[in-house]
């Protein structure tokens, strides 16, 4: 038996329990002789006592809605930011804990996310090719992955 | 009297003296059950002894070629990565030092850059709207900007 959830448009308010929406909205500083708006220091980065920040590039296969999944994961040692290198929407799945119902969001063009350290989330799920992202996450020598597999899959439906 | 330089396509090799090209090429790790390629830890991040990493969003006015400039700048305390949130090319201007001739590159879709700490560079110059970038740079309380104004402007010509 599959359980369903409906993807919602991503907003900073709805996403606040899980992390930050990284987008060009709200307060900014004008730099470069007024030609650039700097929306300053928007992510709560946390790479733990033994980690450091790194930038990696992810290239993921696009998925389609409805999208079925039975796995979520988290990184107990670090935050993880997904910065799309396209204007294509992507699907964001998060959960307060494995026993709670997960939540699904669809991004708008110009929206990235930062997952707070230890936040349960689905794997990277672009909705269009190319599924290209810059990822800012923890580089470190110790284990940083926990997985949870649901006894029944969830299916995400379009908004 | 204006001096000219010709923008070249951005390559990792040509850019190596200044920083790293962040793109989905070369070695990768397969993650997420084989559905995602992770091009791991591609940037030489360095935020100095008193800084930390931050993610900001930049929204810059698009420019056009030929593009004239008379200012370069550098951040002595930290590296700075520009990760386009679109597939639009942007212009990258760098210089070994203020007395050397600057160099100009045009990116391809899917290319970001990381400027090594202390690298002289032009201001952010997207070539199309929206000029949206995620920027990973130093957050800190101490001064981190030096500027150099050329006595004569440079003009960047299309490749």
């Amino acid at each position: 038996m599959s359980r369903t959830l409906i993807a919602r448009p991503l907003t900073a308010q709805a996403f606040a329990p899980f992390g930050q929406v990284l987008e060009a909205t709200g307060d900014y500083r004008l730099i470069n002789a007024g030609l650039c708006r700097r929306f300053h220091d928007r992510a709560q980065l946390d790479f733990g006592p033994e980690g450091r920040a790194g930038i990696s590039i992810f290239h993921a296969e696009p998925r389609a809605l409805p999208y079925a999944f039975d796995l979520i994961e988290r990184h107990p040692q670090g935050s993880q930011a997904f910065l799309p290198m396209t204007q294509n929407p992507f699907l964001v799945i998060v959960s307060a804990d494995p026993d709670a119902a997960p939540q699904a969001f669809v991004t708008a063009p110009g929206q990235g996310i930062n997952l707070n350290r230890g936040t349960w989330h689905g794997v990277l799920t672009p909705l269009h090719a190319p599924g290209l992202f810059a990822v800012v996450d923890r580089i470190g020598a110790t284990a940083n992955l926990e997985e949870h597999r649901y006894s029944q899959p969830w299916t995400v439906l379009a908004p």
Side-chain angles (χ1 to χ4, degrees), chain A:
Chain A
M1 188 180 81
S2 182
R3 300 172 288 188
T4 59
L5 56 155
I6 296 178
R8 291 181 291 160
L10 182 66
T11 65
Q13 186 174 13
F15 195 65
F18 311 104
Q20 301 80 50
V21 177
L22 307 175
E23 60 188 335
T25 58
D27 294 340
Y28 59 84
R29 306 174 181 182
L30 269 181
I31 62 172
N32 298 347
L35 294 177
C36 185
R37 297 177 179 191
R38 181 184 173 113
F39 301 85
H40 183 70
D41 194 20
R42 290 295 184 94
Q44 291 179 26
L45 302 181
D46 176 355
F47 305 111
E50 297 176 44
R52 63 169 173 85
I55 303 176
S56 301
I57 305 297
F58 281 22
H59 189 183
E61 293 294 322
R63 317 297 210 277
L65 296 179
Y67 169 71
F69 69 98
D70 68 356
L71 181 79
I72 55 173
E73 63 182 39
R74 67 172 176 172
H75 309 295
Q77 296 301 312
S79 57
Q80 188 172 44
F82 292 93
L83 304 161
M85 298 178 78
T86 74
Q87 293 182 272
N88 300 328
F90 61 103
L91 180 64
V92 177
I93 295 168
V94 286
S95 187
D97 67 74
D99 295 325
Q103 297 186 48
F105 300 96
V106 174
T107 64
Q111 287 185 324
I113 61 164
N114 182 60
L115 295 167
N116 290 338
R117 178 177 170 178
T119 299
W120 288 101
H121 61 280
V123 300
L124 181 58
T125 41
L127 294 172
H128 303 271
L132 272 181
F133 295 78
V135 175
V136 179
D137 66 1
R138 177 188 186 261
I139 308 297
T142 52
N144 189 26
L145 177 64
E146 295 176 16
E147 292 182 332
H148 171 76
R149 200 168 290 275
Y150 292 104
S151 57
Q152 301 171 3
W154 292 91
T155 297
V156 182
L157 305 177

